[in-house]
Amino acid sequence: MDKRVRVRFAPSPTGGLHLGGVRTVLYNYLFARQHNGDFILRIEDTDQTRFVKGAEEYIYECLLWCGLIPDESTVKGGPFAPYRQSERKASYGAYARQLVASGHAYYAFDTPADLEEMRSKHRVDEHSTVQYDRTTRKHMRNSLTLPVDEVKSLLEAGTPHVIRIKMPENETIVCHDMIRGEIHFDSNLVDDKVLLKADGMPTYHLAVVVDDYLMKITHAFRGEEWLPSAPVHLLLWDYLGWKEDMPKWAHLPLILKPDGNGKLSKRDGDRLGFPVFAMNWYDPAKNETTTGFRELGFMPQAFVNMLAMLGWNDGTGQEIFSLDELVQKFSIERVHKGGAKFDFEKAKWFNNQYIQLTDNETLATLALPYIQQHGITPAPDVLLKVIALIKDRCTLLSDFWAQGQFFFQTPEAIDLPAIKEKWNDNKKLFFADWVTHLQQVTEWIDTTIEASVTDYLTKYSLKKGDIMLPLRIMLVGGKFGPGVFHIAEIIGKEETIKRIETALSSL
Ligand code: GLU
């Protein structure tokens, strides 16, 4: 019988969650749901020097916002707890020592000064990096070069040491990748990575393999940037005797900058004029907040749909998929090998589509916080009417404020110069006359307001086209917005009269 599918997202809590990270979550999630399997969130926090306070909670909140909730996690627990690697510290040492015993790893006693000396000695020029590898290891203080007795006494004396993998010479390591097919690695080019650090903490390389094994992970999907580490991981699966249980790999394509020039990195946040993080990220070290898709006004469903298409499609040209549909149709084999260029305009297009597909009641709830940010809470029935009128103009949820603020408050400034371009005394007389009459319009709805204008137009020999733009600017402040009589209806009789009179007094 096939094993139950178990996949994992294994972030290091070092900062904001990049959209590439959320896409990795999504592909894992889709695969798990599709196979009735489990989706696990494991926090890889073994590198305490890179640990950032709040990052773990932030990651979980991002997953909640996207609706990609893990079945097992630090928050939910699960049969393989703990899900935070720092809490599993005690379990890794034995595996590292097993590797030493089987000859696949060794103790290294080199001090930072020794390492620095080795690097400067072997450096050919200032740009070259010198690795601790099959060549240089021969000149270092490790259990491959020191006499057995000396190693024993160094260990007994508690001399600080690490455990390194002993990379084999002249071997080709083959990775079978579900997206990329067979990938060949030359073992001679890979360094002897540290597996266990001096403080007993594993490095990522050891921890990821041990935990994928112990947590019975069947498929490991991660970003392409991890491909260079794959040969180390493959060897560890083999050397630890777990080859049969090794997960199937898939290295997901990079998300590239819009011009295709390089990876869209965490550091690009805000710099390119769009977010790279799912949600606002506050960096405590820099005391800086980087904008997130959520705060900018993206709907999570649109964000998720957009991410699904960054590196995958179903071959039919369809672009809008609900999460359930994605679960049905997604296939890891159809994920592209090449990097996917990020296109912010396209991302906004997705959000616009989702806004149009969402019912007004739901939109009212979603848009309200963006309006309340400005200290205004509209009456629910007014908000609903406004939503219906302006939703087709809104791309981001925050646009409900930008496009609709004049419904909720008197515009701060009126574009008088735009009115004055085609203004004359006759129009002024018309407005002054009509606005007095408006008091008598009893049934205050767009059609009656519109009808009330007819007699006055005739009286002043004006056409409707002559007064629509000035009226709009008086009510809205500028040349935008939905139907002007609808606007008058919603803002109400008193406010309409007030806005016209105020504008007239300056014309
Ligand atoms: N801890 C790694 C990260 O931060 C996980 C890579 C993997 O999935 O193996 O992305």
Side-chain angles (χ1 to χ4, degrees):
M1 202 181 78
D2 275 352
K3 279 190 280 182
R4 181 179 176 82
V5 164
R6 289 177 56 80
V7 295
R8 87 300 192 273
F9 176 56
S12 301
T14 54
L17 188 57
H18 181 265
L19 52 97
V22 187
R23 191 197 53 184
T24 303
V25 173
L26 176 64
Y27 288 3
N28 271 291
Y29 176 92
L30 296 175
F31 191 83
R33 289 290 91 89
Q34 194 169 64
H35 293 89
N36 295 317
D38 304 317
F39 166 50
I40 291 111
L41 172 68
R42 183 175 68 223
I43 301 296
E44 303 209 326
D45 60 345
T46 56
D47 189 350
Q48 297 286 319
T49 57
R50 293 177 62 223
F51 177 83
V52 176
K53 202 167 168 286
E56 183 186 321
E57 293 75 6
Y58 168 93
I59 290 168
Y60 198 78
E61 205 187 323
C62 285
L63 270 50
L64 283 185
W65 177 63
C66 292
L68 305 172
I69 301 168
D71 303 303
E72 298 167 27
S73 65
T74 48
V75 176
K76 244 182 160 178
F80 299 89
Y83 291 91
R84 197 177 285 118
Q85 285 183 329
S86 57
E87 290 170 20
R88 305 169 68 84
K89 182 178 173 186
S91 60
Y92 305 105
Y95 295 110
R97 284 184 287 277
Q98 178 189 325
L99 289 164
V100 176
S102 61
H104 295 299
Y106 58 92
Y107 297 111
F109 300 95
D110 316 281
T111 62
D114 294 339
L115 292 170
E116 193 36 54
E117 195 193 318
M118 177 266 277
R119 287 191 192 110
S120 50
K121 206 161 114 195
H122 291 87
R123 201 172 281 148
V124 227
D125 60 55
E126 59 186 280
H127 303 296
S128 68
T129 47
V130 181
Q131 309 203 104
Y132 200 117
D133 60 14
R134 69 203 165 91
T135 323
T136 50
R137 72 161 87 106
K138 292 178 187 142
H139 312 288
M140 304 304 289
R141 282 170 55 74
N142 54 52
S143 56
L144 302 174
T145 57
L146 299 171
V148 180
D149 288 354
E150 194 178 337
V151 172
K152 201 165 165 248
S153 48
L154 283 170
L155 288 176
E156 277 167 6
T159 316
H161 64 273
V162 299
I163 293 180
R164 287 181 181 270
I165 186 169
K166 185 180 169 205
M167 284 302 291
E169 287 193 35
N170 307 324
E171 271 187 26
T172 300
I173 304 156
V174 182
C175 176
H176 298 271
D177 187 282
M178 292 173 79
I179 299 168
R180 289 153 208 280
E182 267 189 16
I183 310 165
H184 295 239
F185 297 92
D186 176 353
S187 69
N188 290 349
L189 301 178
V190 185
D191 60 324
D192 290 354
K193 293 255 183 296
V194 172
L195 301 177
L196 201 72
K197 292 182 268 191
D199 62 0
M201 214 28 134
T203 58
Y204 154 68
H205 301 290
L206 178 64
V208 76
V209 170
V210 168
D211 285 342
D212 280 351
Y213 171 72
L214 294 177
M215 294 185 179
K216 298 194 187 311
I217 299 303
T218 56
H219 298 78
F221 305 152
R222 59 186 182 186
E224 188 183 328
E225 62 272 29
W226 297 103
L227 207 49
S229 305
V232 177
H233 303 165
L234 291 162
L235 287 179
L236 289 176
W237 278 95
D238 189 10
Y239 295 163
L240 286 163
W242 300 335
K243 219 173 164 179
E244 297 299 303
D245 295 307
M246 186 169 74
K248 291 199 167 64
W249 300 96
H251 290 87
L252 310 176
L254 296 177
I255 297 183
L256 306 174
K257 292 189 211 299
D259 61 6
N261 260 332
K263 184 184 161 191
L264 188 62
S265 84
K266 285 190 176 185
R267 287 176 301 279
D268 288 327
D270 284 342
R271 276 191 221 171
L272 300 172
F274 54 79
V276 301
F277 291 148
M279 305 184 323
N280 271 12
W281 166 249
Y282 170 71
D283 182 342
K286 293 194 195 133
N287 190 23
E288 242 173 49
T289 300
T290 313
T291 319
F293 282 87
R294 179 175 76 171
E295 288 75 7
L296 201 66
F298 272 79
M299 289 175 61
Q301 297 84 346
F303 180 58
V304 163
N305 190 157
M306 178 274 290
L307 286 179
M309 307 306 291
L310 271 182
W312 173 86
N313 61 58
D314 74 345
T316 67
Q318 183 178 341
E319 292 186 288
I320 301 292
F321 293 89
S322 68
L323 194 57
D324 283 345
E325 238 179 315
L326 285 172
V327 169
Q328 302 302 321
K329 300 201 171 154
F330 179 75
S331 81
I332 199 84
E333 287 81 6
R334 280 198 63 86
V335 172
H336 313 152
K337 290 192 192 67
K341 278 189 212 163
F342 179 69
D343 177 351
F344 187 53
E345 291 309 312
K346 188 73 190 191
K348 287 198 290 191
W349 176 85
F350 275 103
N351 209 55
N352 179 279
Q353 296 291 308
Y354 272 81
I355 287 183
Q356 308 322 316
L357 289 168
T358 305
D359 65 84
N360 297 346
E361 280 75 12
T362 309
L363 281 178
T365 316
L366 295 173
L368 189 60
Y370 296 88
I371 296 167
Q372 285 177 325
Q373 268 173 22
H374 301 273
I376 287 174
T377 302
D381 59 324
V382 172
L383 181 57
L384 265 185
K385 282 188 195 166
V386 172
I387 299 268
L389 271 185
I390 65 171
K391 73 192 273 191
D392 59 349
R393 294 158 192 273
C394 293
T395 291
L396 301 170
L397 291 172
S398 45
D399 290 342
F400 283 100
W401 170 256
Q403 293 288 336
Q405 52 175 297
F406 57 84
F407 284 106
F408 315 123
Q409 63 176 18
T410 311
E412 271 165 28
I414 300 289
D415 187 1
L416 289 172
I419 301 183
K420 283 180 184 161
E421 269 172 35
K422 289 191 176 167
W423 191 245
N424 56 35
D425 286 345
N426 187 42
K427 285 187 189 173
K428 189 165 182 172
L429 290 173
F430 159 83
F431 273 103
D433 207 358
W434 177 55
V435 81
T436 323
H437 167 73
L438 279 181
Q439 286 291 4
Q440 280 125 53
V441 177
T442 43
E443 198 195 357
W444 190 259
I445 54 168
D446 65 315
T447 45
T448 53
I449 308 167
E450 186 167 0
S452 78
V453 95
T454 323
D455 290 349
Y456 292 84
L457 288 174
T458 322
K459 185 169 164 189
Y460 292 92
S461 307
L462 287 165
K463 290 194 294 296
K464 211 167 173 189
D466 297 324
I467 59 106
M468 291 302 272
L469 186 68
L471 178 58
R472 168 177 300 283
I473 298 173
M474 289 173 190
L475 298 186
V476 170
K479 297 179 186 175
F480 64 99
V484 75
F485 296 109
H486 277 119
I487 297 174
E489 174 188 326
I490 294 175
I491 64 176
K493 191 196 282 187
E494 296 315 314
E495 183 67 18
T496 302
I497 292 172
K498 190 181 101 189
R499 290 189 194 180
I500 296 173
E501 283 176 344
T502 311
L504 280 181
S505 67
S506 312
L507 284 161

